[in-house]
Amino acid sequence: MNKLIGFTLFIFMINGLNGFGQNSKTILFHSATIHTGTGKTIENGWMLVEENKIKAIGTQSETLPKADEQISLNNKHVWPGIISLATTAGLREIDAVRATLDYSETGILNPHVRALTAYNTDSKITSTLRSNGIITLQACPTDGLISGSSSLFYNAGWNWEDAVIRKDDGIWLNWPQSYRPTRKGDTTQYDARNQKLMFELETLFEDAAAYKALRAPAKPNIRLEAMRGLFNGTQNLYIRANYTRDIMNAVTFAASKGIQKIVLVGGTDAHKLMPFLKKHNVSVILARLHRLPDHPDEPVDLVFKAPAMLVDAGITVALSYSGDMEVMGSRNLAFTAGTAKAYGLSAEQALQLITLNPAKIAGIDNLTGSLEVGKMADFFITQGDALDMRTAYVLNIYIQGKEVDSDNHQKELYRKYMERYGKPLKE
Amino acid sequence: MCLQAFAQVPATVNTLEDERNLRHAFVNVTLHPAAGEVLEGVTLLVYDGKIEAFGKNVAIGAGTVVHDLKGRHIYPAFIELWTDYGLQKNTFREKTRRTNQFGRTEAGPYYPNMAIHPEVSAASDFQVNEKAAKSLAAAGYAIAFTHKADGIARGTGAIVNLLPEAEDAVLMVEKAARVYSFRKGSSQQDYPASKMGAIALIRQSFADKTWYTKGGKEKARNLSLEAMIEQDNLPLLFESESWQDNLRAFELFGEQNLRPIIKSAGDEYQRLDVFKTKNASFIVPLKFPEGWEMTDPYMIDFIALEHLKHWETAPSNPFLLHQNGIEFSFTTHGLKQTDELFEQLRVVHRHGLSSKEILRALTETPAKQLRIFDVAGSIAIGKQAHFFVSSDTLLHPNFQVFETWIYGKRAFANPAAGMLDLNGSYMFEMENVSNVILEVTPNGKLSKAEMRLGDKKFPLEWKQANEQVSFRLKEPLDGYPAIFHGFTEKSDSMWVLSGEAKDSSGKVVLWKANMTSLYKDTLVKESLPAVSPFEARFPFAAYGWDSLPRQKAVWFRNATLWTAEKEGILKNHDVLVHAGKIVGMGMNLDVNRLLPKGTPLDTVDARGKHISPGIIDEHSHIAIQGGVNEGTESVTAEVRIGDAVDAQDPAIYYQLAGGVTTSQLLHGSANPIGGQSALIKLKWGLTPEEMKIPNAPGHIKFALGENVKQSNWGESYVKRFPQTRMGVEQVFYDAFLRAKTYQKEKEAATKRSPKGVAQNAFRVDYELEALAEILEGKRHITCHSYIQSEINMLIHVADSMGFAINTFTHILEGYKVAEQMKARGIHASTFSDWWAYKFEVNDAIPYNGALLHEVGVVTGFNSDDAEMGRRLNQEAAKAVLYGGVSEEDAIKFVTIHPAKMLRLDQQTGSIKPGKDADLVLWSDNPLSIYARAELTMIEGVVYFDLQLDEKKQERDRLEKFKIAEKMSRTPSKKRKDIPPRRPRYHCDDLTEEGDSHE
């Protein structure tokens, strides 16, 4: 019982003190190209970090502030930490080994299932993501109709308790897909299945809406308890839907149930419904941009153009790497933002797709997601353009003002074998 | 050919003798003895099952039954070639799962694979089925070729007539043709599980037949092979699923100098130019695709243009075949009711095919295809008397079969024959009455009628009997008699009704009604959109070409050249392309010196742009039809991806847009020794054969590790050997030991006869042939591999068995055995950064490529994935990111290095005069995420052009809407489902549909 009441208390609790230790000094990073993530690029700029936060940002033409330590970056680039949403990072290790998979619970209605406590900070995979500048991860359950709730983590920490940034930020709903290919032309089987699923959904949301009014239910219900935040705007409803009719049905459904914050995930057809999404104030987390056309005959580069179309329409868009091999592959997330740039966005807009916009969507933008005064000093440093694999080599990574390890198991093996073959390291 | 005598063996009957072998004379006939011939007002004389005479002056002797047809029509009866008439219906579901069923499930001295059963004879299983015979006869058919559509070598079909008599009476040809397909049917054996497997199996069965003929019979008796030998001179029918299957059949049976007659899928219009050159002969379906009902405005997104265009064009297929001089007959196969035939014939006619050719395709051509034109297929003196009597000409909307005569006997008489189709609009006239319209419309099988005065309607009670009509007003009407009676008469194709009526005083009034329009005509005129003129498209789908692109001389000026040669990256350089080759490169090139005088030349200003060699994907599974893995057995070296290349896969176009020009299409990794590769250039719009690189060196897929052990396929995959890496090693030893023995036997057999192998009782085994080629250095191994132990293992097997390993592909732990590989010149084709998808890739590192390269192994990055395949230039950039390979070398990972692996480096893979002009023009540094391929050229032909691509996109978008709109206006049955997507294969996909992702 206490445990259940507890649920409502720690929803939307931002954890400010993680296990990274305190950086008690002030550090000035200067002579850098600073990509703030707010739409600005400061050439020849500086950034003052005090304890775990950004204290000031400026350009070299101003007088440099005093600091305990000064680091000249020699025109290197500083970027806000990359945020990877809609991922099973920390919940899976080896796809083909069932024992290492913790993202898909059995049953179809699992709003009570939480990614939080299954999140593995010692995943070998997430360390390789960190090495590529991915500083924040949203670990999400998948499958079923309601998969459970996600949480946001710093991509470093001793355990989930100190890595977590925001617990249970939203509930994940897989919208039943209505466009289903069939071999024999018979759609009745799917229609019947979808009707059944819709019945389950309708009932669940009606019950949850009624339940939320009970402050101390005589008979607590673990599922309905987990859904309270959806109705008061403290939790997102993340809806995985891809195609037009499904997106419209899903958003209309959620809005009619009084859900405050609706986030569309996947959204392959979102660019066909922009006025509709705008009207309902829906944010979009796009599926992996590096994919094949979603529909037969579609222009070969339409998937690459979609982010620019949505951004131009004023919709808040984030990129994800969801799909096959999404966790290990998400070290390429920044390069998909590069593709969005190649197909219509400015460099600053493209960067926002993986920094400030996901922070806004996940409700952590007051804390991280851009390099702004007062926000956490979460950033990484590269020699060149972080959105282009050609130049994206990451030199240093800072989380809450403290440099974290950019090494990983793969780099170790690389060094070991370069040594074995008597070759000099190139990095 | 001696076709059965109709001397029936007398059966015992429980009645008195009732043979009435009388002469029949059909007089006043409009006779259509053969396609394009009409004789009016003639007599047809039939006796003893044969046509005795026809013409104007045919004498009718005493004792003749005379039928006065009053101008009605007689046509030669039709011949149906694709039916299972008289055979048990197929009830099996084709097996798609693997169950470790390696051998036959039924014993017997037959072929080891149960999908090959040439010994099956339709004639011996045949049982007359009166109901089925009647439904065919009712549609004008007298003869059917029947076979059981089950299996790859299905056996022989029989030709029967459709009389409801004893089997021995109706059987015309016991073994009229042998039938083949690429579908294994009811066989419960795992093999084959793919199209290429089916093709390999057919190929092997023909080799086995040869061996059997040359002496194999002395070692074993095999009734299947004996049946094959016996069928040597029979026509060969092949059931196709697409125009590409047609081509596969031509190739496969062409190896045996056989020309198949193809039961078509109705899509030959897609490559008429090719079939024209093949001297092809088809049996084409009259079943045309259904349209879709678009349940919402976005549903069209899910229906590929190729489906929409097929819907639109399929009814024109017969006309287009005819227009191109290609022989075909019709089959009703696929129609729900045989009598839908006539509606379909009118559709075909509306799409351009003349009535003459329609009749030919139902009579003469099928008769010729199955070699019975000497006795059937037209009305000619001495031929068997198979014909039908009809109300009208074949394509008339009122056409009805009244009677069908088979072998001189009336097999079918239409009960509705007396019932005239009077439906239509009439102008009714009577004393003191004018401007009245009589409207006769169908009411089930009967008709109903009403009179119209202005906008008022007066229903009638309407009756028809033979040639008389009678009707009465349901409600009395002033000035009109209550009851009318009259007769029918035909003028042209219109009816004239006239008669008398009695008014209330008993006075007789005369009336007349002249037909002004036929009911069916009105329907047709109102509802059907016009037939669009046919326009070719290569391929007949989205992104296709209106006409095939041509080779050009092109001068690229002032580009940054990524040569992938020792010259490295050259700024401000020109490249000149002529006749498919790179003919010059340099600064400020003197093109006149390099080109023959007067060569038309395109100039491309490439200032600020980059040109790289065309990208080469060493490991691709695109453009494969019918399954990427045979994999049902541990060794399937006999299967050839080249037999199943799919030239219509849009992934070809996607990858061209990413600068890919050459791909090795590899067999999957489901077994230790997979199948032979196809090396293709992505010549979008061409046929599979044209895409294959001519005289390309042979390659084959090997595989190690988890896929081969079936580790990740679930608990039902624990029986096929091997299940461990220990077992995998032994499979290779066993295979190569067998191959060595085979080589010896083959050599010995060749020695015995100066004329070569085929002269002896030596059995050509295509599996061992491929392995022997490896031993002889003529076929190169690409081995799917991950971890160091297994890589080392295969190196040892190769060393001890005396063969070379060409390339380890995937090879994610290659960095641990780089020196062993380097010492043997083995290439590495790896992923840039994939890992963690299974246990064996746990030590995979993105530095693998750089490490191997540092050690001196020729290293490349491949895709194994249709999506990554279109971004291989970006993958190459990861060699810079992870391990600091120079940009100059990184581009080689996807160009000259894979060219070396494929042994194509003399012809492609770098920019060098004399090499194929396989080039990509990039908007930016080709290793950059921001670079887009603006032009992709293969052998001097531009197969992708970014600007043209935009035009194609717009064209396709508009065309989809145009066809969808037409579809919505066409009144016919529609489907609401979404067609299945084209499969995307990966290494470990076991089924045709493709299912896994990594």
Side-chain angles (χ1 to χ4, degrees):
Chain A
M1 179 68 195
N2 278 340
K3 192 176 146 208
L4 283 169
I5 298 298
F7 272 15
T8 56
L9 294 179
F10 58 61
I11 282 169
F12 201 53
M13 194 178 80
I14 303 269
N15 190 341
L17 287 173
N18 297 73
F20 305 111
Q22 287 288 331
N23 168 35
S24 53
K25 294 183 294 184
T26 52
I27 311 173
L28 181 73
F29 297 88
H30 65 87
S31 307
T33 303
I34 302 174
H35 304 262
T36 62
T38 60
K40 275 192 302 186
T41 303
I42 305 171
E43 304 280 350
N44 217 3
W46 55 262
M47 182 166 77
L48 181 66
V49 173
E50 184 181 64
E51 293 187 342
N52 52 7
K53 289 189 178 146
I54 299 167
K55 182 139 193 238
I57 294 186
T59 65
Q60 223 81 343
S61 56
E62 302 160 36
T63 324
L64 292 182
K66 284 185 179 156
D68 299 336
E69 189 185 344
Q70 292 210 359
I71 299 175
S72 171
L73 293 182
N74 295 322
N75 293 322
K76 288 177 190 136
H77 296 255
V78 177
W79 311 81
I82 297 167
I83 302 173
S84 177
L85 298 185
T87 172
T88 42
L91 303 178
R92 82 156 100 199
E93 206 59 22
I94 300 172
D95 290 345
V97 181
R98 194 175 147 222
T100 68
L101 309 179
D102 277 303
Y103 51 85
S104 173
E105 192 45 83
T106 183
I108 59 166
L109 297 177
N110 288 323
H112 51 308
V113 158
R114 310 165 77 200
L116 177 68
T117 51
Y119 183 79
N120 174 19
T121 46
D122 297 332
S123 161
K124 263 165 131 187
I125 304 177
T126 54
S127 64
T128 66
L129 310 186
R130 188 169 59 234
S131 306
N132 276 21
I134 296 177
I135 288 180
T136 307
L137 296 165
Q138 183 189 43
C140 308
T142 64
D143 298 328
L145 199 51
I146 306 265
S147 322
S149 71
S150 52
S151 288
L152 289 136
F153 301 90
Y154 273 125
N155 188 6
W158 297 109
N159 52 55
W160 59 261
E161 228 176 334
D162 61 46
V164 70
I165 302 175
R166 189 179 166 196
K167 292 174 181 168
D168 301 313
D169 69 297
I171 301 281
W172 289 72
L173 162 60
N174 288 309
W175 193 256
Q177 190 181 318
S178 59
Y179 300 96
R180 275 187 180 270
T182 51
R183 289 226 141 246
K184 296 265 153 93
D186 180 15
T187 59
T188 49
Q189 186 194 340
Y190 293 116
D191 295 347
R193 180 180 157 275
N194 282 358
Q195 273 173 17
K196 184 176 169 289
L197 294 176
M198 280 316 300
F199 174 80
E200 297 283 351
L201 268 188
E202 287 278 355
T203 311
L204 178 71
F205 275 80
E206 276 169 21
D207 293 351
Y211 186 87
K212 72 169 195 291
L214 303 174
R215 296 218 61 86
K219 279 195 173 178
N221 180 293
I222 199 169
R223 288 181 168 81
L224 303 181
E225 204 58 60
M227 291 171 73
R228 282 181 187 271
L230 292 177
F231 298 97
N232 61 21
T234 58
Q235 271 184 310
N236 287 330
L237 179 63
Y238 293 99
I239 307 175
R240 292 189 197 263
N242 279 321
Y243 302 127
T244 44
R245 190 164 66 201
D246 296 339
I247 294 173
M248 286 191 283
N249 289 346
V251 170
T252 313
F253 169 86
S256 75
K257 298 297 174 206
I259 306 302
Q260 305 286 309
K261 291 186 175 168
I262 304 169
V263 181
L264 175 65
V265 185
T268 55
D269 279 352
H271 59 88
K272 293 173 189 164
L273 299 168
M274 294 189 294
F276 172 84
L277 295 172
K278 188 96 180 95
K279 186 180 136 202
H280 287 90
N281 198 21
V282 175
S283 313
V284 181
I285 302 173
L286 287 173
R288 183 185 312 170
L289 216 53
H290 288 172
R291 64 176 193 269
L292 288 171
D294 297 304
H295 298 288
D297 320 329
E298 192 173 276
V300 295
D301 50 7
L302 184 63
V303 291
F304 304 148
K305 289 176 174 164
M309 293 162 77
L310 291 162
V311 168
D312 288 348
I315 293 165
T316 305
V317 187
L319 300 182
S320 77
Y321 211 78
S322 60
D324 300 331
M325 302 199 280
E326 62 184 24
V327 184
M328 77 292 272
S330 63
R331 61 176 153 192
N332 295 309
L333 185 62
F335 314 142
T336 67
T339 295
K341 180 186 159 196
Y343 289 81
L345 289 180
S346 70
E348 287 80 12
Q349 286 172 320
L351 177 63
Q352 286 180 325
L353 299 178
I354 52 170
T355 55
L356 188 57
N357 291 3
K360 283 181 182 168
I361 290 170
I364 53 170
D365 54 317
N366 55 344
L367 189 75
T368 188
S370 59
L371 303 179
E372 287 180 88
V373 175
K375 285 200 183 183
M376 291 295 172
D378 299 335
F379 61 93
F380 64 97
I381 299 166
T382 62
Q383 193 72 57
D385 182 355
L387 306 190
D388 190 349
M389 53 264 281
R390 218 185 117 222
T391 50
Y393 189 72
V394 173
L395 301 162
N396 310 86
I397 303 158
Y398 288 80
I399 295 179
Q400 294 199 346
K402 196 183 171 204
E403 181 160 13
V404 297
D405 188 5
S406 65
D407 203 12
N408 60 46
H409 157 76
Q410 301 187 324
K411 290 188 180 187
E412 256 174 60
L413 283 167
Y414 172 55
R415 291 191 296 270
K416 180 174 161 186
Y417 279 88
M418 283 299 264
E419 196 184 333
R420 178 186 162 191
Y421 297 127
K423 304 280 177 189
L425 286 178
K426 290 194 178 172
E427 51 168 271
Chain B
M1 167 181 285
C2 174
L3 289 170
Q4 126 250 21
F6 280 74
Q8 189 175 341
V9 180
T12 312
V13 288
N14 181 27
T15 179
L16 301 178
E17 174 60 51
D18 187 21
E19 198 180 323
R20 306 176 219 166
N21 199 10
L22 299 172
R23 222 168 231 100
H24 288 263
F26 299 81
V27 301
N28 287 325
V29 174
T30 307
L31 185 71
H32 306 256
E37 295 171 27
V38 193
L39 303 168
E40 288 194 36
V42 296
T43 297
L44 171 70
L45 205 59
V46 170
Y47 179 65
D48 199 22
K50 302 236 167 84
I51 307 286
E52 200 170 49
F54 60 85
K56 288 269 184 203
N57 306 310
V58 173
I60 301 172
T64 302
V65 184
V66 179
H67 308 260
D68 182 357
L69 294 195
K70 298 177 186 164
R72 283 176 183 158
H73 302 260
I74 286 186
Y75 284 92
F78 303 153
I79 299 168
E80 173 61 70
L81 296 190
W82 210 262
T83 160
D84 57 0
Y85 167 64
L87 300 172
Q88 283 206 326
K89 296 275 170 221
N90 281 334
T91 52
F92 61 84
R93 278 187 65 173
E94 197 173 284
K95 182 177 179 183
T96 53
R97 282 185 56 79
R98 287 145 164 80
T99 55
N100 299 307
Q101 181 61 48
F102 302 109
R104 292 180 59 92
T105 52
E106 285 168 26
Y110 299 109
Y111 201 70
N113 191 291
M114 290 180 71
I116 301 287
H117 44 72
E119 69 279 5
V120 168
S121 158
S124 44
D125 295 336
F126 173 76
Q127 223 178 352
V128 168
N129 176 336
E130 275 193 44
K131 202 176 151 205
K134 194 172 167 186
S135 95
L136 281 163
Y141 283 92
I143 292 171
F145 170 76
T146 180
H147 87 281
K148 197 160 163 69
D150 175 12
I152 291 171
R154 294 174 169 182
T156 51
I159 297 179
V160 297
N161 75 41
L162 297 164
L163 283 172
E165 295 179 357
E167 284 74 24
D168 63 339
V170 302
L171 181 65
M172 293 171 65
V173 188
E174 180 198 353
K175 291 175 182 173
R178 47 189 155 158
V179 189
Y180 281 77
S181 81
F182 294 155
R183 288 274 167 201
K184 72 176 170 188
S186 63
S187 166
Q188 290 303 301
Q189 272 169 279
D190 287 354
Y191 187 92
S194 62
K195 198 182 282 277
M196 60 187 165
I199 293 172
L201 182 58
I202 293 174
R203 187 178 282 124
Q204 186 62 53
S205 72
F206 275 100
D208 291 343
K209 187 199 81 175
T210 307
W211 161 76
Y212 199 78
T213 321
K214 308 274 182 204
K217 192 176 178 178
E218 289 151 26
K219 296 182 180 162
R221 287 288 303 279
N222 188 300
L223 301 186
S224 303
L225 295 176
E226 286 180 16
M228 270 182 93
I229 292 160
E230 184 195 299
Q231 294 159 18
D232 257 347
N233 296 316
L234 292 185
L236 190 150
L237 306 190
F238 170 75
E239 182 168 26
S240 165
E241 293 177 359
S242 71
W243 67 272
Q244 298 199 102
D245 266 0
N246 298 354
L247 294 182
R248 292 180 187 116
F250 286 129
E251 292 294 326
L252 173 67
F253 295 109
E255 292 167 12
Q256 311 300 326
N257 295 318
L258 293 169
R259 187 195 66 149
I261 296 166
I262 292 177
K263 155 67 169 39
S264 113
D267 59 357
E268 284 69 31
Y269 62 85
Q270 302 210 3
R271 281 316 291 264
L272 291 159
D273 54 334
V274 176
F275 295 118
K276 212 169 157 171
T277 63
K278 297 272 179 198
N279 188 22
S281 182
F282 294 105
I283 301 167
V284 301
L286 283 163
K287 162 84 179 162
F288 301 122
E290 283 171 10
W292 275 269
E293 189 176 320
M294 306 290 175
T295 47
D296 73 48
Y298 299 103
M299 190 169 151
I300 194 169
D301 293 347
F302 294 87
I303 299 168
L305 182 60
E306 62 182 314
H307 296 310
L308 295 175
K309 283 180 79 71
H310 182 51
W311 172 83
E312 186 185 41
T313 318
S316 297
N317 194 45
F319 170 65
L320 294 166
L321 285 170
H322 168 65
Q323 208 180 29
N324 285 276
I326 301 165
E327 181 180 78
F328 66 95
S329 61
F330 282 131
T331 172
T332 59
H333 182 75
L335 296 180
K336 282 223 168 75
Q337 305 286 338
T338 314
D339 59 8
E340 284 171 34
L341 159 75
F342 301 106
E343 189 52 48
Q344 296 305 89
L345 295 179
R346 285 189 285 271
V347 170
V348 168
H349 183 56
R350 216 163 56 78
H351 284 78
L353 192 66
S354 67
S355 57
K356 173 180 163 183
E357 296 310 323
I358 288 175
L359 184 60
R360 194 192 306 282
L362 291 160
T363 55
E364 177 184 328
T365 308
K368 285 181 172 165
Q369 284 174 322
L370 289 199
R371 305 175 188 169
I372 55 168
F373 191 59
D374 55 340
V375 294
S378 68
I379 293 173
I381 292 168
K383 277 198 179 186
Q384 294 180 4
H386 303 299
F387 60 89
F388 64 80
V389 178
S390 70
S391 60
D392 295 274
T393 52
L394 188 54
L395 300 170
H396 193 278
N398 290 345
F399 173 90
Q400 273 187 306
V401 173
F402 283 162
E403 290 181 350
T404 303
W405 289 69
I406 300 175
Y407 199 57
K409 293 179 185 171
R410 182 156 43 196
F412 166 76
N414 188 342
M419 187 72 187
L420 303 173
D421 179 359
L422 300 177
N423 298 324
S425 279
Y426 296 80
M427 188 56 79
F428 180 84
E429 286 165 33
M430 196 175 71
E431 209 176 294
N432 301 326
V433 170
S434 62
N435 287 330
V436 174
I437 291 165
L438 171 68
E439 200 74 45
V440 185
T441 52
N443 185 21
K445 286 197 167 175
L446 305 174
S447 295
K448 61 183 179 174
E450 61 186 22
M451 278 186 170
R452 292 184 186 171
L453 286 73
D455 52 3
K456 285 187 185 148
K457 295 174 181 176
F458 301 94
L460 303 172
E461 249 173 47
W462 179 265
K463 281 180 185 159
Q464 277 176 240
N466 297 324
E467 282 151 1
Q468 299 177 38
V469 292
S470 65
F471 53 97
R472 46 175 279 177
L473 283 151
K474 284 186 178 167
E475 305 288 333
L477 184 62
D478 272 359
Y480 284 79
I483 301 174
F484 298 77
H485 181 262
F487 291 88
T488 59
E489 199 181 340
K490 207 160 201 182
S491 161
D492 294 329
S493 61
M494 298 297 198
W495 291 103
V496 179
L497 314 179
S498 62
E500 40 190 56
K502 280 184 182 161
D503 68 10
S504 51
S505 65
K507 191 183 134 198
V508 171
V509 192
L510 297 177
W511 64 272
K512 193 174 183 186
N514 286 306
M515 192 183 235
T516 53
S517 64
L518 285 165
Y519 174 76
K520 282 183 183 167
D521 277 0
T522 356
L523 264 193
V524 167
K525 268 179 209 143
E526 277 168 7
S527 55
L528 294 176
V531 175
S532 317
F534 175 77
E535 285 167 7
R537 184 74 61 80
F538 309 94
F540 214 77
Y543 326 116
W545 301 97
D546 294 327
S547 60
L548 286 170
R550 291 171 180 279
Q551 225 168 41
K552 287 191 286 194
V554 185
W555 181 16
F556 294 98
R557 307 192 62 183
N558 294 309
T560 301
L561 296 189
W562 295 60
T563 61
E565 288 283 341
K566 60 179 185 306
E567 289 82 2
I569 301 166
L570 302 169
K571 294 205 165 152
N572 291 315
H573 266 62
D574 296 358
V575 188
L576 184 65
V577 168
H578 175 56
K581 300 279 179 196
I582 297 166
V583 294
M585 60 189 273
M587 286 176 114
N588 303 312
L589 212 56
D590 181 2
V591 293
N592 291 326
R593 199 177 50 81
L594 294 161
L595 288 180
K597 224 176 178 171
T599 309
L601 180 65
D602 285 3
T603 306
V604 176
D605 178 6
R607 201 178 298 269
K609 295 178 181 173
H610 298 249
I611 296 178
S612 77
I615 287 171
I616 299 174
D617 193 350
E618 189 273 338
H619 190 135
S620 177
H621 300 301
I622 65 165
I624 298 171
Q625 208 169 56
V628 70
N629 265 305
E630 180 43 54
T632 45
E633 296 165 4
S634 300
V635 182
T636 54
E638 70 282 6
V639 304
R640 303 176 185 175
I641 294 283
D643 288 336
V645 173
D646 177 8
Q648 262 179 314
D649 185 350
I652 296 169
Y653 190 72
Y654 301 156
Q655 301 206 349
L656 278 169
V660 182
T661 54
T662 302
S663 299
Q664 173 170 220
L665 308 187
L666 278 167
H667 184 276
S669 53
N671 52 353
I673 299 185
Q676 303 169 24
S677 312
L679 303 192
I680 65 161
K681 288 205 183 177
L682 305 190
K683 296 177 177 173
W684 179 241
L686 273 54
T687 64
E689 288 304 311
E690 290 164 335
M691 284 192 186
K692 290 187 212 165
I693 296 174
N695 308 315
H699 288 262
I700 189 166
K701 177 74 171 283
F702 279 23
L704 311 173
E706 291 180 22
N707 290 5
V708 166
K709 301 192 297 159
Q710 307 181 308
S711 308
N712 304 318
W713 303 356
E715 290 310 304
S716 49
Y717 292 97
V718 294
K719 289 210 180 99
R720 190 195 74 186
F721 190 91
Q723 290 287 313
T724 62
R725 286 193 166 83
M726 302 182 291
V728 174
E729 178 191 34
Q730 296 307 312
V731 170
F732 291 109
Y733 277 121
D734 173 64
F736 281 98
L737 288 172
R738 283 192 292 127
K740 281 174 188 267
T741 310
Y742 178 82
Q743 279 179 311
K744 277 183 209 143
E745 284 172 3
K746 185 175 173 181
E747 206 191 321
T750 317
K751 270 185 198 152
R752 276 208 305 274
S753 156
K755 282 185 182 171
V757 178
Q759 296 302 312
N760 299 292
F762 176 73
R763 179 178 173 274
V764 173
D765 182 316
Y766 286 107
E767 174 188 311
L768 296 172
E769 282 287 321
L771 297 178
E773 283 171 10
I774 296 169
L775 289 168
E776 290 152 19
K778 289 188 234 153
R779 186 166 293 283
H780 310 289
I781 297 163
T782 287
C783 184
H784 162 116
S785 51
Y786 286 107
I787 67 169
Q788 53 158 321
S789 59
E790 64 193 16
I791 297 163
N792 229 333
M793 173 277 285
L794 194 69
I795 288 174
H796 280 266
V797 173
D799 287 352
S800 66
M801 299 301 284
F803 65 89
I805 299 161
N806 183 52
T807 303
F808 278 115
T809 191
H810 302 339
I811 184 88
L812 290 173
E813 285 189 15
Y815 66 94
K816 297 183 180 175
V817 285
E819 286 175 333
Q820 288 93 317
M821 289 172 65
K822 193 194 168 196
R824 291 164 181 82
I826 302 173
H827 310 120
S829 180
T830 183
F831 294 128
S832 64
D833 63 354
W834 280 14
W835 74 296
Y837 44 97
K838 44 185 167 178
F839 187 71
E840 64 187 351
V841 296
N842 217 21
D843 262 3
I845 62 174
Y847 304 91
N848 186 41
L851 267 162
L852 285 158
H853 178 70
E854 285 288 337
V855 173
V857 175
V858 173
T859 303
F861 287 155
N862 66 58
S863 79
D864 189 19
D865 174 80
E867 190 280 320
M868 198 203 278
R870 65 174 180 160
R871 297 182 300 96
L872 274 172
N873 58 314
Q874 300 171 9
E875 295 302 297
K878 290 181 187 166
V880 182
L881 178 63
Y882 302 109
V885 174
S886 71
E887 295 204 346
E888 182 183 326
D889 281 350
I891 197 78
K892 294 178 183 167
F893 278 39
V894 292
T895 54
I896 190 69
H897 289 181
K900 285 180 179 166
M901 298 173 200
L902 301 184
R903 314 258 167 172
L904 296 173
D905 53 310
Q906 294 306 309
Q907 89 184 68
T908 186
S910 64
I911 304 181
K912 187 176 172 187
K915 280 194 154 185
D916 287 353
D918 298 346
L919 300 170
V920 190
L921 178 70
W922 303 93
S923 63
D924 203 331
N925 179 322
L927 298 181
S928 169
I929 190 82
Y930 306 122
R932 298 181 67 173
E934 295 185 351
L935 286 181
T936 305
M937 172 184 273
I938 301 172
E939 293 164 17
V941 182
V942 174
Y943 282 95
F944 177 80
D945 175 334
L946 195 56
Q947 287 178 349
L948 193 60
D949 177 59
E950 272 172 35
K951 288 185 191 144
K952 283 182 178 176
Q953 288 175 13
E954 183 62 6
R955 176 201 66 189
D956 292 347
R957 196 179 63 81
L958 293 176
E959 190 168 21
K960 280 189 93 163
F961 282 105
K962 203 184 93 197
I963 300 176
E965 194 268 340
K966 189 170 167 184
M967 203 175 256
S968 72
R969 287 194 293 124
T970 304
S972 61
K973 193 165 166 279
K974 301 216 171 79
R975 48 198 290 192
K976 293 180 182 164
D977 65 313
I978 290 168
R981 300 197 65 158
R982 190 176 279 271
R984 290 264 149 262
Y985 296 130
H986 294 86
C987 257
D988 51 351
D989 283 330
L990 298 182
T991 65
E992 259 190 80
E993 285 79 28
D995 44 20
S996 85
H997 300 282
E998 283 113 44

